[in-house]
């Protein structure tokens, strides 16, 4: 095997390069080994990342034990929860591209033989997988693990509990003391937030994509098994390097099929749609919303985790984890079992070892929670290119809904109206100019939806947006509406009082206006005056980013 790292370590011309390695304490013998770049997204601002140094150390031990030399470098990360409900939320999705680009830059500049990418939270996982697919050198992903489930006031809890408590507090349903008790106890440990929100959804999907080892998505943050997994990943990357098994060999079209099927069966975050489209784009795999729509009609819901139920990721772990879910899906012949994974085994070989230990947490294939999946793609004159809803987190009474539009040109305007009690039962909150370009950055709307839930309006009010929702969102929350308002999408043409019709069963989202009326409004459309951050990065992001319907990837500049 010819090592890529020979480019910076071999020959007389590389004496200066070796001298720089020696300056850091590496030895001549070290440089003769495969060099593994270990991407560490540790920081002290994300609960899911504050423990990553320990995970990385376990990876390095595995790399060394298998005959390689690990060289660590960082990746940035933003905590979506802390960035939520203010201007900071314009940056998380935009940071996905920065993460992928920075990993590309460091890897290409130093010619690593392989990569182990250690992350955990919302945009870091897809950013890392995008880089892996783009670079296409042997790579494996390791997550930091899900947070332990909180407990307060006699119930299990998570971050969403706190967001919803704000709505209850505003309605004087709970006291200052009760709110304080919830905020102290809802998030009891490090790790990615305990529900099946975006971070944990993506960490689970890496198992179905085959780019992570079994257990990656569900082993709790503080368990010794988490470090054992990291150690095994460090050893596994050397085998991938020796055999030259690359991400595009693993993340094939059929692997994306498996990931989508798993996502639909476990009712994952709606953000996974954006991220799978973006990763597929980097892997040169053709994928579009129609694939999600087609599969959503035939994939049953086999597990429901918060916010779709009171269960949490730790419950899924004890029930058998993602491999047990994949095993149930294989009973219905919905996944490809012959695919190779980074473990060196096929999907079929991996799931043969799995056991469904709790059929209430992971339903048998012939006894699902629902015969149709947890995520639905809606179309109509309001969303010609599609919209996304986490159907499993929507009350059945809201599957068919009509209401008068209450129109807001920013999240802040809508949130203030909700908190001021200005939204009434039977209305549809419309939040627009929050798409990838219009935001810019496609902010998540967890605060407005949680406020509605906390006020008891989630079964009587819908919320639609060209922005997106946290995986923690529940209720009739429809996002990713495309084209977005800033691109003259129909959502930008809605006026106060228009009638919005939602039919999740029929996959329809429409406004009761004639085609002629929409065309007339489009002809008279002009963007509203808005306070948009003028930072250079967001301007550049808005210029390059494409529609949510294509994963909000950057447009080609060839």
């Amino acid at each position: 095997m010819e090592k890529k790292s020979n480019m910076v370590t071999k020959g007389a011309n590389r004496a200066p390069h070796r001298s720089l390695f020696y300056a850091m304490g590496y030895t001549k013998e070290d440089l003769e080994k495969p060099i593994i770049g270990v991407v560490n997204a540790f920081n002290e601002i994300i609960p899911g990342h504050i423990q990553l140094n320990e995970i990385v150390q376990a990876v390095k031990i595995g790399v060394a034990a298998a005959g390689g030399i690990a060289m660590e470098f960082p990746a940035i990360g933003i905590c979506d929860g802390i960035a939520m409900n203010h201007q900071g939320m314009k940056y998380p999705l935009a940071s996905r591209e920065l993460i992928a680009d920075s990993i590309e830059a460091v890897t290409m500049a130093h010619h690593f033989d392989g990569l182990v990418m250690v992350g955990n939270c919302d945009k870091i996982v897809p950013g890392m997988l995008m880089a892996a697919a783009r670079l296409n050198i042997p790579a494996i992903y390791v997550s930091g693990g899900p947070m332990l489930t909180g407990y307060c006031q006699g119930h299990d809890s998570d971050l969403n509990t706190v967001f919803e408590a704000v709505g209850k507090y505003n309605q004087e349903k709970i006291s200052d003391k009760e709110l304080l008790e919830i905020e102290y106890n809802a998030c009891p440990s490090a790790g990615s937030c305990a529900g099946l929100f975006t971070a944990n959804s993506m960490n689970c999907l890496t198992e179905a994509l085959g780019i992570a080892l079994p257990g990656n998505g569900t082993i709790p943050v503080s368990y010794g098994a988490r470090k054992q997994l990291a150690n095994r990943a460090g050893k596994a990357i050397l085998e991938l390097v020796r055999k030259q098994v690359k991400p595009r060999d693993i993340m094939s079209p059929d692997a994306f099929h498996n990931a989508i099927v798993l996502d639909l069966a476990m009712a994952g975050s709606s953000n996974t749609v954006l991220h799978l489209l973006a990763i597929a784009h980097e892997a040169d795999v053709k994928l579009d919303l129609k694939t999600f729509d087609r599969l959503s009609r035939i994939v049953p819901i086999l597990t429901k985790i918060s916010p779709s139920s009171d269960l949490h990721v730790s419950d899924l772990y004890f029930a058998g984890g993602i491999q047990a879910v994949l095993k149930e899906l294989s009973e219905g012949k919905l996944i490809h079992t012959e695919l190779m994974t980074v473990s060196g085994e096929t999907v079929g070989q991996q799931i043969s070892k799995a056991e469904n230990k709790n059929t209430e947490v992971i339903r048998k294939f012939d006894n699902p929670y629902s015969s149709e999946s947890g995520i639905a793609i809606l179309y109509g004159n309001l969303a010609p290119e599609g919209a996304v809803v986490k159907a499993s987190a929507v009350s059945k009474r809201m599957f068919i809904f009509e209401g008068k539009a209450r129109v807001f040109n920013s999240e802040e305007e809508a949130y203030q109206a909700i908190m001021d009690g200005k939204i009434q039962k039977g209305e549809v909150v419309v939040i627009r100019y929050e798409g990838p370009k219009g935001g810019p950055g496609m902010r998540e709307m967890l605060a407005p939806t949680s406020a509605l839930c906390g006020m008891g309006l989630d079964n009587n009010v819908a919320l639609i947006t060209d922005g997106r929702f946290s995986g923690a969102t529940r209720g009739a929350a429809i996002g990713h509406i495309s084209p977005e308002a800033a691109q003259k999408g129909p959502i930008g043409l809605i006026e106060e009082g228009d009638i919005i019709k939602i039919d999740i069963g029929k996959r329809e989202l429409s406004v009761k206006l004639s085609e002629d009326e929409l065309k007339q409004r489009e002809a008279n459309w002009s963007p509203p005056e808005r306070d948009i951050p003028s930072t250079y990065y967001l301007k550049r992001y808005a210029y390059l980013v494409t529609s949510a319907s294509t994963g909000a990837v950057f447009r080609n500049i060839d």
Side-chain angles (χ1 to χ4, degrees):
M1 179 197 75
E2 180 71 16
K3 298 194 298 138
K4 284 179 65 69
S5 57
N6 285 350
M7 181 65 71
V8 294
T9 62
K10 291 294 183 182
N13 290 341
R14 296 300 181 250
H17 305 64
R18 291 191 295 273
S19 184
L20 292 170
F21 280 112
Y22 299 153
M24 293 181 280
Y26 297 109
T27 68
K28 179 178 181 295
E29 292 74 22
D30 288 334
L31 301 185
E32 292 171 355
K33 301 172 183 177
I35 297 177
I36 306 301
V38 180
V39 190
N40 183 2
F42 163 82
N43 63 42
E44 296 180 342
I45 194 64
I46 308 178
H49 287 217
I50 199 162
Q51 81 289 6
L52 291 190
N53 283 341
E54 295 181 11
I55 304 298
V56 165
Q57 186 62 27
V59 169
K60 290 179 177 180
I61 291 171
V63 169
I69 181 70
M71 298 184 181
E72 179 185 334
F73 66 95
I76 66 164
I78 294 173
C79 179
D80 282 39
I82 296 173
M84 195 75 67
N85 196 29
H86 54 82
Q87 294 295 307
M89 182 42 73
K90 294 179 181 293
Y91 285 89
L93 183 60
S95 75
R96 186 186 69 180
E97 319 308 307
L98 282 176
I99 292 162
D101 290 350
S102 63
I103 294 172
E104 175 194 350
V106 176
T107 302
M108 293 299 291
H110 299 97
H111 292 276
F112 298 120
D113 296 299
L115 288 174
V116 179
M117 301 164 294
V118 183
N120 212 18
C121 289
D122 294 28
K123 310 309 167 296
I124 296 88
V125 185
M128 287 180 165
L129 298 189
M130 289 166 67
R134 182 189 303 174
L135 292 163
N136 203 34
I137 66 170
I140 189 168
Y141 171 75
V142 180
S143 80
M147 184 182 290
L148 299 179
T149 305
Y151 187 82
C152 54
Q153 300 181 352
H155 301 283
D156 287 347
S157 61
D158 54 39
L159 180 65
N160 198 36
T161 309
V162 193
F163 272 100
E164 292 189 7
V166 174
K168 293 178 182 179
Y169 179 80
N170 191 66
Q171 292 286 296
E172 299 183 349
K173 294 179 180 179
I174 60 174
S175 65
D176 290 294
K177 181 180 179 181
E178 288 172 312
L179 180 60
L180 187 62
E181 181 185 359
I182 291 169
E183 70 176 80
Y184 268 129
N185 293 286
C187 300
S189 75
S192 45
C193 296
L196 197 60
F197 312 149
T198 304
N200 286 328
S201 295
M202 288 304 304
N203 284 326
C204 290
L205 294 190
T206 60
E207 292 190 44
L209 280 170
I211 198 70
L213 297 178
N216 184 72
T218 60
I219 298 172
V221 61
S222 55
Y223 283 28
R226 174 59 58 184
K227 293 179 183 176
Q228 293 168 18
L229 180 143
N231 181 284
R232 290 197 300 272
K235 295 172 182 174
I237 189 62
L238 270 297
E239 193 63 21
L240 295 175
V241 169
R242 292 184 183 110
K243 293 181 178 178
Q244 282 300 288
V245 178
K246 300 175 182 178
R248 294 191 187 187
D249 300 323
I250 300 290
M251 295 193 292
S252 64
D254 286 344
F256 278 95
H257 168 97
N258 285 357
I260 294 170
V261 168
L262 172 64
D263 194 20
L264 298 173
M266 69 180 187
S269 165
S270 58
N271 281 319
T272 55
V273 177
L274 274 180
H275 299 325
L276 285 174
L277 288 170
I279 298 163
H281 175 77
E282 296 289 355
D284 201 24
V285 170
K286 292 183 179 180
L287 188 63
D288 57 29
L289 285 179
K290 292 180 180 178
T291 304
F292 289 85
D293 182 45
R294 174 176 57 82
L295 291 173
S296 73
R297 300 171 189 270
I298 62 172
V299 176
I301 298 178
L302 299 185
T303 184
K304 280 192 172 186
I305 306 298
S306 175
S308 300
S309 77
D310 293 329
L311 298 172
H312 290 83
V313 177
S314 57
D315 296 298
L316 182 56
Y317 169 69
F318 289 120
I322 294 306
Q323 297 301 310
V325 179
L326 291 172
K327 189 172 186 177
E328 292 294 345
L329 290 167
S330 73
E331 293 295 321
K333 302 189 185 305
L334 286 176
I335 63 168
H336 299 280
T337 59
E338 75 286 357
L339 306 181
M340 187 54 64
T341 72
V342 291
S343 72
E345 295 184 323
T346 65
V347 172
Q349 288 170 325
Q350 287 185 167
I351 65 175
S352 68
K353 304 171 188 176
E355 179 186 354
N356 186 347
K357 302 174 183 177
N358 188 333
T359 55
E360 284 304 307
V361 176
I362 302 173
R363 292 284 185 90
K364 302 295 290 183
F365 185 80
D366 58 4
N367 182 37
Y369 283 100
S370 171
S371 59
E372 291 193 1
S373 73
I375 294 176
I377 309 299
L378 311 184
Y379 294 94
N381 68 351
L382 191 48
E385 295 176 6
V388 181
V389 62
K390 187 168 182 172
S392 62
V394 181
S395 166
K396 291 296 183 184
R397 64 183 290 182
M398 293 294 289
F399 266 49
I400 299 177
F401 184 77
E402 284 191 16
K404 289 184 178 180
R406 299 296 311 279
V407 181
F408 304 95
N409 290 336
S410 72
E411 178 191 359
E412 286 85 355
E413 293 176 24
Y415 183 70
Q416 193 61 53
I418 293 168
M419 298 302 282
D420 289 344
K422 295 180 179 179
I423 303 301
Q424 306 300 316
K425 292 181 179 180
E427 294 180 334
V428 178
V429 177
V430 179
I431 305 179
R432 59 193 184 185
Y433 297 100
E434 291 286 7
K437 284 185 178 295
M442 202 179 182
R443 287 194 288 181
E444 290 184 344
M445 307 291 164
L446 179 58
T449 56
S450 296
L452 289 171
C453 289
M455 294 175 178
L457 292 173
D458 52 308
N459 288 329
N460 301 282
V461 171
L463 192 155
I464 67 173
T465 180
D466 53 8
R468 59 197 177 91
F469 295 105
S470 164
T473 294
R474 63 186 177 92
I478 300 169
H480 305 209
I481 292 176
S482 301
E484 61 177 290
Q487 294 291 97
K488 289 189 178 181
I491 189 173
L493 309 178
I494 297 173
E495 296 177 359
E496 194 85 4
D498 286 345
I499 302 300
I500 307 296
K501 180 180 179 181
I502 299 166
D503 191 329
I504 294 175
K506 292 184 178 179
R507 307 295 199 269
E508 292 179 2
L509 176 63
S510 59
V511 55
K512 287 192 169 182
L513 294 173
S514 67
E515 187 176 343
D516 288 342
E517 175 66 16
L518 284 171
K519 286 182 178 179
Q520 183 177 351
R521 290 188 185 183
E522 183 179 0
N524 296 324
W525 174 87
S526 60
E529 291 289 330
R530 298 170 59 244
D531 182 19
I532 302 175
S534 58
T535 66
Y536 176 71
Y537 181 65
L538 287 181
K539 283 183 177 179
R540 179 157 51 97
Y541 181 83
Y543 178 74
L544 291 171
V545 74
T546 61
S547 169
S549 64
T550 57
V553 299
F554 282 176
R555 61 185 173 85
N556 292 330
I557 54 175
D558 295 340

